[in-house]
Amino acid sequence: MTPRPVLNRSLLALAGLILLGGGLLILFAGFDVYRRHNLVPPVGWPLTTPDDVLLGSADRARWSSQGWWWWPAVIAALALVALLALGWLLAQLRRRRPGALSVGGTLPHEGVELRDRALSDAIAAEAGALPGVEHAAVRITGRPADPRTRVRLTLTPQRAPGAVLDALCEGPLRTAHRSTGFPDMPTEVRLQVARHKPHRAE
């Protein structure tokens, strides 16, 4: 597992725990769970009864007396957190592509490099020429040192999927492995059948 997914999952888990804790506090206070079940919350525990508020009048007065800079600082901090969260979300939505792949097992920027789009176009062209394949689309994902291939094939109605899959593995994929020098390139293949008009019997 790469460091980026580990960081993403850690941040998601932390955000989930914070939201879960806040939601439970609100639910416990709204339904008056502590009084109904004779539970004693810890000293200073927020939101213990339905009439409690998160920020009371005394707290608001205390923070307001800090000076004019307090509310602009709070707004700026909240805006910064919102911008960081938005940037992180956009980074997750951006599709990751390896960019350049080192050919023949050489180190990056020290040997021959192949663009991921050139490799995907070559695989798609060879796969599209296989018997029974009407359309082929290929996308290379992952890291430069660990590329992954995603293939989507549209088959003609008369062709058996198993035969096309065998031809794909023995043809375009084997050629790509041999050309790039990656002995093990995980591949995900999705097969679909082209739509056709139903035949009418006379």
Side-chain angles (χ1 to χ4, degrees):
M1 184 179 297
T2 60
R4 182 175 176 180
V6 172
L7 177 61
N8 291 342
R9 293 179 183 181
S10 300
L11 291 176
L12 284 175
L14 179 61
L17 289 175
I18 293 175
L19 292 175
L20 178 62
L24 290 177
L25 281 176
I26 295 173
L27 287 177
F28 275 39
F31 290 105
D32 204 6
V33 174
Y34 299 105
R35 184 184 61 81
R36 292 183 178 181
H37 297 279
N38 296 323
L39 299 176
V40 179
V43 178
W45 196 256
L47 302 177
T48 57
T49 65
D51 298 328
D52 283 349
V53 293
L54 188 61
L55 192 61
S57 299
D59 294 328
R60 290 197 302 270
R62 180 166 59 88
W63 290 116
S64 299
S65 63
Q66 298 296 322
W68 65 269
W69 57 269
W70 171 247
W71 287 113
V74 172
I75 294 174
L78 292 177
L80 179 61
V81 171
L83 288 177
L84 290 176
L86 180 61
W88 176 77
L89 178 61
L90 293 177
Q92 306 314 305
L93 296 178
R94 188 184 304 118
R95 293 182 176 180
R96 299 196 320 169
R97 302 179 65 97
L101 303 174
S102 59
V103 178
T106 59
L107 295 176
H109 308 294
E110 292 186 5
V112 180
E113 291 186 346
L114 177 65
R115 298 297 300 178
D116 60 340
R117 188 166 298 276
L119 178 61
S120 61
D121 290 344
I123 298 175
E126 191 173 351
L130 294 175
V133 176
E134 186 173 292
H135 177 73
V138 179
R139 187 163 64 95
I140 307 296
T141 61
R143 296 180 293 111
D146 184 26
R148 299 172 180 271
T149 309
R150 294 184 178 180
V151 183
R152 187 175 68 252
L153 300 180
T154 302
L155 310 182
T156 59
Q158 297 80 14
R159 190 64 176 177
V164 174
L165 187 59
D166 292 340
L168 176 68
C169 295
E170 296 298 327
L173 295 182
R174 183 181 295 274
T175 302
H177 294 175
R178 186 171 59 249
S179 301
T180 57
F182 288 100
D184 183 19
M185 185 184 299
T187 302
E188 176 185 342
V189 181
R190 295 187 178 183
L191 304 178
Q192 61 184 16
V193 179
R195 295 182 178 180
H196 64 286
K197 295 182 179 180
H199 299 285
R200 296 182 58 183
E202 299 293 342

